[in-house]
Amino acid sequence: MNLVVGVGLRSGTSYRELRDLVSAAVAEAGGGRVRILITVEGRHQEPAVQRLAATLNAELQTVPKSELSKQNAPTPSTVVERLAGTPSVAEAAVLTTGAELIVTKRMSAGATVAVGQLGAAPAYSPGERAVVHRVLGERRDVRRGFVDLPVADDVLERVLGAAHRAPSVGLSQPWDFLVVRDVATRRKVRDLAAAQRDAFARSLPAGRRERFDGLKVEAILESALNVAVTCDPGRGGRHVLGRHADPRTVWFSAAIAVQNLWLAARAEGLGVGWVSFFEPGEVAAVLGLPAHVELVGYLCVGPVEEFPEAPELVQSGWAMRRPLAWAVHQESWGNRGLPGAEPTSIVADAEAAAATAEALRSEQTVRVIVGGNPADYLDDPDVLVVQLGERPAADFGVLWRPVSSEADGVEVGVELVRDLVLQGAGRIAVRVVEESVAAAGVARGLRVGAAACGAEWRDEPGEMPDSSA
Ligand SMILES: Cc1cc2nc3c(=O)[nH]c(=O)nc-3n(C[C@H](O)[C@H](O)[C@H](O)COP(=O)(O)O)c2cc1C
C-alpha cells in the first residue's frame, strides 16, 4: 500500500516523539510503504521531519498554508488555526496529495499526524510540477543573441546525458552526438544552410518572402558549438523489439533524444536552435558520417542573452499556435474537445466562432484549387492544390485529403482554412475545378472556416487570374 503521512509539529519536537507517533499511525493504517511525508511550508526544515523522511526513504513535500486551508479536513481545530493560520495541517496536507484519508489526526504533545492512501504511484509535488512545466514552457528554439562564452564540459555532459536517457524503440538507442566546434567545418555547414534558405525564399509568394527575410533560421557560427544528432536505423540488428512492425520508430527515438537535450539545455541556461535547412546527405558528407548513419537534427548550442517568451515565428507574425482543443479527439476522429468537455465537431465549432471572429490583419492570400492537375497551377507560389482522389506524389504544393462525402469535405475545408491561417494566411481565394459532392463540400467548408477565422474569402470561378498581373 502506498501511504502519505501528513505531519504538523511544534518547532523543536524530538525525532523520537515524531517517529513513535508516525509508527503508531502507520500501524493503525494496516502498514504500507510511506512514499510521501508532507508538512506545511517551513516545517520541512525541522530536524525531526528531515530525519524521519530520510529514515522512511520517503519524499519530503511541503505545501503552503493557503493550500491547506482550502481542504475540507474532517478534524479542524480552532487552536491549530490560531497557531498555524490554518484549521488543519496533518489531515489537510494528506488531502492536497489526492490521497484518501485512512487515519485521521493523531496527536502527541508536540505533533499531529494523519495517514492517507494513494491509489497509484505519487505525483510530483505542486512545486516540482511547476518546475517541469516551467522548463517545457520556457524551452525555445533560439537563433539570436548567442553570447561569446564557452560551454563547460560538465554542463555539456549533463545535457548530452539527458539526451542519452531518452526512450528508444527496443532500447536500441539509435542516436549519436557529434560535437562540432571547428569553425571551418561549421562554415561549410552554414553555407549549405544559406543555399537552402535562398531556395526557400525564392519559392515564397512576395509578401511572405519579405516577412521571411526578417527571420533568422540558424546560428551555426555564432553559437558556442554545434551538435549533430544522428540515427543508425540498423542499430541492434534484426530483432529490435517494436521496430520490426514500424521502422519509423527508430527515427522517433532519435527525435526524442533531441527534445531531451533541448529541455536539459534550457535548464542549464543554454540556447538551442534546430537547423533543418539542409539536404541531410550534404551535411553528412561535410561531417564525414559513415554511410549507414543519418542526420536527424543539427543543433546550435550555447549561452544566450535571453530566451524569448514566445516562439520567434509567433512574435514575427509568421505563424500561430494551434489551440489544444483542436488537437484532442475523444474516442473517434473529429469529436474534438478537451478532457471533461463536451466534444464538438469542427464545423459546429466554426459556425459558433463566426459570430465573434475578428477580421485578420494578414494580407497573405492563399489560392486554393480543389481538384485539377497540379502542374497547371503550381508555378504560382500563392496556390495550394487540394486533391481528393488518389494519393498524389509527394509535393508541398499539393495537399491530399481522401474525401468522398460532402460532410467529410466540409470538415476538411474548415480545417484547411484554420491551418492556413495558423501559417499566416489572411485571405482565401477558392476555385473548384473538380465536379463532385466532395469538392463542393470542401468549398463550403472553406467558406465556413474563413468566416470562423476572420479570413477574407472569395470565389474564383473560371480561369485563375494571373497573380503577377
Ligand atoms: C524538426 C525541427 C526543425 C526545425 N528547423 C528549424 C530551422 O531550420 N530553422 C529555424 O529557425 N527553426 C527551426 N525549428 C524551430 C521551430 O521553428 C520552432 O520550434 C517553432 O517555431 C516553435 O518555437 P519554439 O521551439 O521556440 O517553441 C525547427 C524545429 C523542429 C522541431
Side-chain angles (χ1 to χ4, degrees):
M1 190 156 57
N2 288 327
L3 300 179
V4 180
V5 171
V7 167
L9 77 171
R10 280 208 197 104
S11 181
T13 301
S14 74
Y15 168 67
R16 181 180 294 236
E17 178 183 337
L18 185 63
R19 181 201 61 193
D20 290 349
L21 184 64
V22 168
S23 301
V26 168
E28 207 179 319
R33 166 94 163 77
V34 179
R35 299 273 173 193
I36 297 173
L37 188 68
I38 183 162
T39 188
V40 63
E41 252 171 19
R43 283 292 190 253
H44 64 292
Q45 279 156 347
E46 283 293 314
V49 173
Q50 299 250 338
R51 189 169 158 198
L52 187 64
T55 313
L56 294 169
N57 197 16
E59 193 182 322
L60 179 54
Q61 292 190 1
T62 61
V63 57
K65 228 184 289 180
S66 54
E67 282 302 308
L68 292 175
S69 46
K70 286 185 203 157
Q71 308 302 316
N72 198 6
T75 328
S77 150
T78 46
V79 178
V80 175
E81 181 155 32
R82 211 171 51 244
L83 294 173
T86 163
S88 165
V89 176
E91 289 178 350
V94 168
L95 293 173
T96 62
T97 65
E100 184 197 345
L101 201 59
I102 52 173
V103 176
T104 51
K105 185 165 78 176
R106 299 291 178 262
M107 286 190 288
S108 65
T112 59
V113 160
V115 182
Q117 182 184 350
L118 286 166
Y124 287 176
S125 68
E128 289 167 331
R129 284 204 298 275
V131 173
V132 172
H133 285 279
R134 178 176 172 207
V135 73
L136 291 169
E138 295 183 4
R139 181 212 51 77
R140 282 277 76 77
D141 186 88
V142 188
R143 277 93 66 188
R144 295 178 197 275
F146 281 92
V147 292
D148 190 12
L149 288 171
V151 180
D153 287 341
D154 60 330
V155 173
L156 185 57
E157 189 177 331
R158 279 200 294 276
V159 169
L160 296 175
H164 194 54
R165 280 199 301 278
S168 60
V169 64
L171 201 57
S172 56
Q173 303 159 79
W175 50 74
D176 283 271
F177 309 106
L178 179 55
V179 179
V180 184
R181 299 174 199 265
D182 181 66
V183 174
T185 307
R186 292 208 254 168
R187 273 215 182 91
K188 287 184 200 155
V189 177
R190 196 271 320 264
D191 290 349
L192 293 175
Q196 286 291 341
R197 184 192 165 107
D198 292 347
F200 182 63
R202 283 195 300 275
S203 75
L204 293 172
R208 197 72 170 150
R209 190 178 315 167
E210 275 163 31
R211 206 174 272 269
F212 177 66
D213 286 344
L215 293 174
K216 187 159 163 48
V217 298
E218 51 84 16
I220 295 168
L221 292 176
E222 305 94 296
S223 53
L225 53 91
N226 299 170
V227 178
V229 181
T230 62
C231 178
D232 172 359
R235 182 161 295 162
R238 268 179 75 191
H239 303 298
V240 169
L241 184 151
R243 194 189 65 195
H244 65 290
D246 185 350
R248 299 172 309 158
T249 49
V250 76
W251 300 103
F252 302 159
S253 306
I256 298 167
V258 175
Q259 175 73 344
N260 270 16
L261 185 156
W262 217 331
L263 293 169
R266 176 63 190 87
E268 300 283 356
L270 297 178
V272 173
W274 185 328
V275 192
S276 55
F277 275 62
F278 302 121
E279 197 285 288
E282 290 182 348
V283 182
V286 169
L287 299 177
L289 298 182
H292 68 283
V293 171
E294 298 179 34
L295 180 73
V296 172
Y298 194 87
L299 310 176
C300 310
V301 181
V304 285
E305 271 167 12
E306 61 176 353
F307 291 85
E309 274 181 24
E312 188 181 340
L313 296 192
V314 172
Q315 286 181 334
S316 65
W318 178 269
M320 286 184 272
R321 282 193 183 284
R322 187 168 179 243
L324 177 61
W326 294 6
V328 180
H329 305 244
Q330 304 284 352
E331 306 299 342
S332 61
W333 184 268
N335 269 339
R336 295 175 210 235
L338 295 175
E342 190 60 35
T344 57
S345 86
I346 190 172
V347 180
D349 191 43
E351 283 168 349
T356 53
E358 285 177 27
L360 292 167
R361 284 201 298 270
S362 165
E363 291 179 1
Q364 189 212 327
T365 301
V366 177
R367 308 165 86 197
V368 181
I369 315 281
V370 185
N373 178 7
D376 293 344
Y377 305 103
L378 287 181
D379 281 348
D380 179 346
D382 290 338
V383 159
L384 176 69
V385 175
V386 182
Q387 286 211 320
L388 304 178
E390 291 299 299
R391 184 194 286 265
D395 187 324
F396 287 123
V398 179
L399 191 81
W400 173 58
R401 292 290 184 260
V403 180
S404 50
S405 72
E406 184 178 4
D408 286 353
V410 178
E411 286 196 10
V412 159
V414 172
E415 180 144 54
L416 178 53
V417 178
R418 279 180 170 185
D419 291 346
L420 292 174
V421 167
L422 291 179
Q423 283 291 317
R427 297 174 175 174
I428 308 292
V430 179
R431 183 178 170 208
V432 181
V433 177
E434 180 178 312
E435 284 186 30
S436 68
V437 287
V442 172
R444 191 159 83 77
L446 290 168
R447 188 170 204 153
V448 173
C453 297
E456 219 177 277
W457 182 92
R458 75 173 189 271
D459 198 5
E460 288 197 335
E463 283 306 300
M464 287 291 287
D466 181 354
S467 66
S468 58

